[in-house]
Amino acid sequence: MYPIRLKALALAATALAMAPAATDAVAAPAAAGTQADGEVVRPSKADTAFEKIYTEEWDWRQSLWAPDEDNPQAGPALPDVGRQAQAAKLARWSEVKARLARIDKAALSPANRINFAVYENQIDALLISQQYRDYEKPFNADTSFWANLASWVREPVKDEKAARGFLTMMRDIPRYYDQQIVNMRAGIARGFTAPRVTLAGRDAGIEQVVEAGASADNVFYTPFADLPETIPEATRKQLQAEALEVIGKDVVPAHARLLAFMRDEYTPAARTSLAAYELPEGKAYYRSKIREFVTLDKSPEEIHQLGLAEMAKIRARMDQVMREVEFEGTLGEFFEHLRTDPQFYPKTPEELLYRAAWIAKSFDGKASQFFGHLPRSRFAIKPVPDDIAPFYTGGRGGPGIYLVNTYDLPSRPFYSQVALTLHESAPGHAFQMPLAAENENLPAFRRDTYLSAYGEGWALYCEALGEDMDMYETPYDLFGMLSYQAWRASRLVVDTGIHAKGWTRKQAQDYLRDNTALSNHEIETEVDRYISWPGQALSYYMGELAFLDARAKAEKALGAKFNIRAFHDAVLEIGSVPLAVIDERVDQLIADDGVGPYPDEE
């Protein structure tokens, strides 16, 4: 899963699902096309109208984060999440939706037909989340606005202007947190809260800020602890003193109010039910989340049954591997053996980090065999920060970063590391997302937006691709991949089970325990994540199936002309798109006789 960037918060309800990377780029209108006979094809009226809609709306969306031009010290701003701002978003996206409905899609250029499918999906997700007032529940068991903020301030500053920008942002935290509290109170009033069972310990990061006080130990002092030497020493000292003052005056009191609210008001009032079906308009709400995260209109029952069928296939392969290592016992007993035998677990955080680095570099040696076009950007490997590690996934990746969770080492098995690294680093998130961002042929709203079904589906496909790349050196590594595949396939069963079928927390945990080799700690944190984030867990396996189906289709149609590098280049060059667009792109690859978008690099 990719790391959620702070900027995602500006997108209101979909902030936890569609996080765009920070950028000031503006979507450029599509250039006129040229036919084979050299005739220039001018954009149609439909093209011009559509480009005007998405350019204006994207500029407006970006303006939610624009600094105050009258203040030279202003830096990245915290979004306005108040009631008037939420109403403005609802009105704007409603207007955009109406304007899109008037576009003659048949008259659009081929490129803009794809742009339209992607953009309309974005607007639908943004609009529906506003209609259901998702902003009244601005966190879940995995991600929160306060943790996102704490993660953001860990980034180093490059100059004095950036440092002063951080000071400006920190002074605004009281306003931002108070608006979030008002929204959450409205959620309480209508029974739209996180489930109480998922809240235990989730306020630890808030408490740490309060306890650290106005000191150099406070996470919000991090940008000022090691200011670049290009800033004069006297100015550095002045900035550091000012930072401590702002932390004491603004940051700590805001966190203290939030902590009191979470403990004394929110948690006692939080709902005791688990299912999305129990929320206001619950059935329609959950169906909207399926559409948002899967980008397909599927019923919970359809997805549940698909999950059961896929789990049966994966268990059969797992049984084969278990026999290969000559384990005598049931599959359940083999899972327990893997969870408890010390040989499978690191003894130090460095062991885990070094192994992740070795796996990542091993892929580098194979990349050119499977990909023609590679991203320019690279990524770092770092441990998950201590304040969020207890509730965090085993790893998370994205542009420039692969985070490895070194908390509770007996729950971080070596046998899962290959699959985890392929998913989170390269060729997964830290590979796919930069490729999209670097593709200047795409409008900005496509380069800078993440759709979970595509991004997570691709990353999960990369785990399976590890077999083709001979990345799984031992049967245990292969079993780790199969366990991860089962983990994601089981989400189809568990997520729908919880939110549509009334499953208990224990039922969900037992299903994962019986069907995967995940540690007990991961099982507990994962189930809480599914409970508090309806539908998101469905995106992974549904997305992977789209990539696998597309590849099978291309292989069958092209036969000996099928080129794995051309296939990967083709499905990656389109950026993060609804799943139906992947199939359309492969149809074009087949029509092009298997020649990909970068033939000179294949």
Side-chain angles (χ1 to χ4, degrees):
M1 179 184 226
Y2 70 101
I4 305 294
R5 299 295 185 188
L6 178 69
K7 185 173 182 182
L9 295 172
L11 298 187
T14 54
L16 302 177
M18 292 195 326
T23 179
D24 293 323
V26 176
T34 303
Q35 296 183 153
D37 60 7
E39 180 184 353
V40 175
V41 180
R42 298 297 176 185
S44 67
K45 290 183 179 179
D47 287 318
T48 301
F50 171 55
E51 289 162 8
K52 179 178 173 62
I53 291 170
Y54 76 63
T55 301
E56 290 177 349
E57 187 277 332
W58 180 256
D59 285 349
W60 171 80
R61 218 189 301 179
Q62 296 297 88
S63 75
L64 299 174
W65 283 84
D68 181 358
E69 294 181 357
D70 295 329
N71 179 4
Q73 297 180 356
L78 294 174
D80 183 350
V81 295
R83 309 302 285 186
Q84 287 186 334
Q86 303 296 351
K89 292 172 187 175
L90 177 61
R92 182 61 181 258
W93 288 321
S94 297
E95 176 201 14
V96 170
K97 179 67 175 176
R99 291 173 68 188
L100 289 176
R102 295 193 291 269
I103 296 291
D104 180 4
K105 289 187 283 187
L108 293 171
S109 68
N112 266 338
R113 281 197 287 272
I114 297 175
N115 289 336
F116 191 97
V118 177
Y119 185 72
E120 185 178 42
N121 181 273
Q122 280 188 30
I123 296 301
D124 284 345
L126 291 164
L127 177 57
I128 291 171
S129 278
Q130 286 300 110
Q131 290 170 338
Y132 281 111
R133 310 208 303 268
D134 270 339
Y135 54 83
E136 293 178 353
K137 185 164 62 73
F139 69 95
N140 56 48
D142 178 85
T143 307
S144 65
F145 61 88
W146 61 84
N148 286 343
L149 197 53
S151 295
W152 186 45
V153 298
R154 288 186 175 88
E155 298 295 325
V157 298
K158 62 180 180 179
D159 54 29
E160 181 182 348
K161 181 180 178 181
R164 295 195 182 282
F166 268 107
L167 291 172
T168 300
M169 180 276 295
M170 290 195 297
R171 291 189 182 96
D172 198 31
I173 288 176
R175 187 273 310 165
Y176 178 58
Y177 279 18
D178 288 347
Q179 285 183 331
Q180 298 281 18
I181 290 172
V182 169
N183 289 340
M184 287 189 282
R185 283 197 177 112
I188 290 173
R190 67 186 183 102
F192 191 74
T193 71
R196 187 185 302 172
V197 73
T198 67
L199 296 175
R202 294 308 191 275
D203 56 15
I206 311 172
E207 183 180 42
Q208 288 173 12
V209 173
V210 175
E211 290 183 345
S215 73
D217 293 331
N218 199 303
V219 66
F220 283 87
Y221 187 76
T222 305
F224 302 91
D226 189 23
L227 292 170
E229 293 186 3
T230 52
I231 302 175
E233 182 179 0
T235 304
R236 292 201 304 271
K237 290 182 178 179
Q238 183 266 328
L239 287 168
Q240 290 169 336
E242 193 171 348
L244 291 174
E245 180 183 357
V246 172
I247 290 169
K249 180 182 176 182
D250 296 308
V251 176
V252 171
H255 280 78
R257 288 196 300 276
L258 179 61
L259 184 64
F261 169 76
M262 291 298 295
R263 290 183 173 175
D264 301 337
E265 190 172 340
Y266 193 87
T267 299
R271 63 189 173 100
T272 57
S273 61
L274 307 183
Y277 270 22
E278 299 299 319
L279 291 168
E281 301 179 73
K283 290 186 179 181
Y285 177 73
Y286 185 49
R287 190 68 177 254
S288 79
K289 288 300 166 187
I290 292 175
R291 287 194 299 271
E292 176 183 336
F293 288 113
V294 178
T295 70
L296 300 171
D297 191 14
K298 300 284 186 181
S299 72
E301 183 60 30
E302 187 177 359
I303 292 175
H304 192 85
Q305 292 303 319
L306 177 62
L308 291 173
E310 291 297 315
M311 285 298 299
K313 296 176 187 176
I314 297 169
R315 282 181 65 93
R317 285 206 64 196
M318 294 170 89
D319 190 70
Q320 292 174 359
V321 177
M322 183 182 71
R323 300 307 169 200
E324 182 181 347
V325 299
E326 299 180 347
F327 181 85
E328 296 182 2
T330 66
L331 192 56
E333 290 168 339
F334 189 52
F335 288 151
E336 191 61 22
H337 167 63
L338 293 174
R339 290 188 187 109
T340 56
D341 194 321
Q343 69 171 307
F344 299 121
Y345 294 87
K347 295 181 175 60
T348 67
E350 289 73 23
E351 273 191 280
L352 202 61
L353 292 166
Y354 295 164
R355 179 162 168 76
W358 172 260
I359 295 165
K361 290 306 296 180
S362 297
F363 165 74
D364 281 352
K366 301 172 184 287
S368 63
Q369 301 170 43
F370 293 87
F371 299 88
H373 185 67
L374 305 177
R376 295 189 300 271
S377 65
R378 297 294 180 263
F379 59 89
I381 298 176
K382 296 181 180 181
V384 174
D386 292 342
D387 59 325
I388 58 175
F391 315 109
Y392 216 63
T393 54
R396 192 159 293 184
I401 190 68
Y402 168 29
L403 293 172
V404 178
N405 199 336
T406 57
Y407 172 82
D408 190 23
L409 291 176
S411 69
R412 313 297 174 194
F414 284 134
Y415 55 78
S416 296
Q417 279 297 108
V418 179
L420 178 68
T421 301
L422 293 176
H423 183 117
E424 304 293 351
S425 66
H429 293 317
F431 187 99
Q432 175 267 317
M433 294 174 74
L435 276 175
E438 293 167 11
N439 187 352
E440 296 183 0
N441 292 322
L442 300 177
F445 76 83
R446 288 180 61 183
R447 292 198 304 271
D448 306 327
T449 298
Y450 184 92
L451 284 178
S452 189
Y454 178 94
E456 301 300 345
W458 169 257
L460 188 51
Y461 166 82
C462 290
E463 295 179 22
L465 183 65
E467 276 198 274
D468 296 326
M469 297 188 294
D470 294 325
M471 292 292 294
Y472 300 108
E473 298 178 349
T474 72
Y476 292 107
D477 289 339
L478 179 60
F479 194 90
M481 183 275 288
L482 292 172
S483 177
Y484 266 26
Q485 294 284 311
W487 171 23
R488 276 47 168 262
S490 68
R491 290 174 174 179
L492 306 185
V493 180
V494 171
D495 195 283
T496 53
I498 292 168
H499 294 296
K501 291 179 173 292
W503 279 25
T504 66
R505 188 172 181 236
K506 185 177 185 303
Q507 274 180 284
Q509 290 175 348
D510 286 347
Y511 191 86
L512 286 180
R513 193 169 287 112
D514 292 343
N515 288 283
T516 76
L518 289 174
S519 68
N520 288 321
H521 174 77
E522 279 202 296
I523 287 170
E524 291 168 4
T525 57
E526 283 298 309
V527 167
D528 284 354
R529 174 181 156 199
Y530 311 152
I531 290 171
S532 65
W533 202 354
Q536 193 273 344
L538 304 175
S539 58
Y540 296 70
Y541 204 81
M542 296 297 289
E544 182 189 23
L545 289 176
F547 283 103
L548 291 173
D549 290 346
R551 177 172 163 180
K553 180 180 185 179
E555 288 174 332
K556 181 178 180 181
L558 294 170
K561 293 181 180 180
F562 178 79
N563 182 322
I564 189 66
R565 291 179 297 170
F567 170 76
H568 288 151
D569 289 348
V571 296
L572 286 171
E573 61 121 9
I574 55 179
S576 194
V577 298
L579 296 184
V581 177
I582 298 172
D583 196 53
E584 293 173 12
R585 180 62 185 92
V586 169
D587 285 343
Q588 185 60 52
L589 179 68
I590 294 169
D592 293 339
D593 217 22
V595 178
Y598 308 100
D600 293 339
E601 301 177 40
E602 292 164 6

